[in-house]
Amino acid sequence: MASIPMAGNLTGIRNRRPCLARLCHRSRFPRRRHRPAAHVFVSPALVKILRHHIAEFDVGPDGRAFRSERGEVIASTAYTEVWQAARLLAFTPAQVDSPLAQRPYDLRHAAVSLWLNAGVSAPDVAEQAGHSVDVLLRVYAKCLDGQQEIANRRIDDALAA
């Protein structure tokens, strides 16, 4: 059975660069063996769901937690089909017609934006997202718009201390 910590982090399997997607399917990107394994944030709620799934279904011989009905790697097209069906069930017709969460990958952008707006430091967010701080700020700087008042308050508080 795969080892998943109780909360907080999920590490890569066999010292590969960690990726939740790798639990399910082959990455289209080449393996980067020169990078050390890192920790990937996984909420305690998701860890609980993953533990339950693995306890019930175990993992495949290759360590993946999710497999096709025949025990094989899940085709990437299957994710798109399921995602589109889930959007129809979860969203209003106007939301379905909008670009809101059109692809599962959009959740990554939403998560990174949420972390930054929640006040998580850029270096920590960059590490979790697998970016350099430079790339993180270049790509996500627009999501920080409107934070000037909060930043000024933090500066005032720091100077008053």
Side-chain angles (χ1 to χ4, degrees):
M1 182 179 291
S3 174
I4 296 180
M6 286 302 279
N9 292 303
L10 179 69
T11 56
I13 299 168
R14 286 184 289 237
N15 291 326
R16 290 184 229 153
R17 181 159 172 76
C19 175
L20 283 179
R22 191 163 287 125
L23 290 173
C24 310
H25 64 86
R26 287 188 186 98
S27 173
R28 59 190 159 118
F29 302 108
R31 300 263 190 289
R32 297 178 186 153
R33 298 208 182 269
H34 63 278
R35 287 190 179 178
H39 293 281
V40 175
F41 174 77
V42 179
S43 72
L46 179 56
V47 170
K48 184 177 179 180
I49 291 167
L50 287 170
R51 282 184 166 277
H52 176 76
H53 176 83
I54 291 171
E56 185 172 342
F57 300 103
D58 206 359
V59 295
D62 58 2
R64 288 184 173 83
F66 303 99
R67 303 175 295 285
S68 71
E69 291 175 353
R70 293 185 296 250
E72 298 173 359
V73 173
I74 298 172
S76 60
T77 55
Y79 292 103
T80 301
E81 293 169 10
V82 170
W83 187 257
Q84 295 307 320
R87 286 183 85 243
L88 289 172
L89 292 172
F91 290 166
T92 66
Q95 290 171 323
V96 170
D97 291 339
S98 77
L100 178 65
Q102 281 187 327
R103 310 163 297 163
Y105 189 76
D106 294 336
L107 294 179
R108 173 183 165 80
H109 295 293
V112 171
S113 299
L114 173 73
W115 297 338
L116 287 169
N117 281 303
V120 179
S121 72
D124 288 340
V125 173
E127 182 179 351
Q128 295 296 338
H131 293 304
S132 67
V133 174
D134 178 56
V135 168
L136 176 85
L137 294 176
R138 190 169 353 109
V139 173
Y140 293 96
K142 60 187 169 282
C143 86
L144 296 172
D145 188 43
Q147 301 288 318
Q148 192 63 43
E149 185 178 320
I150 295 168
N152 286 339
R153 189 172 347 112
R154 288 180 179 162
I155 291 168
D156 286 344
D157 291 346
L159 291 173

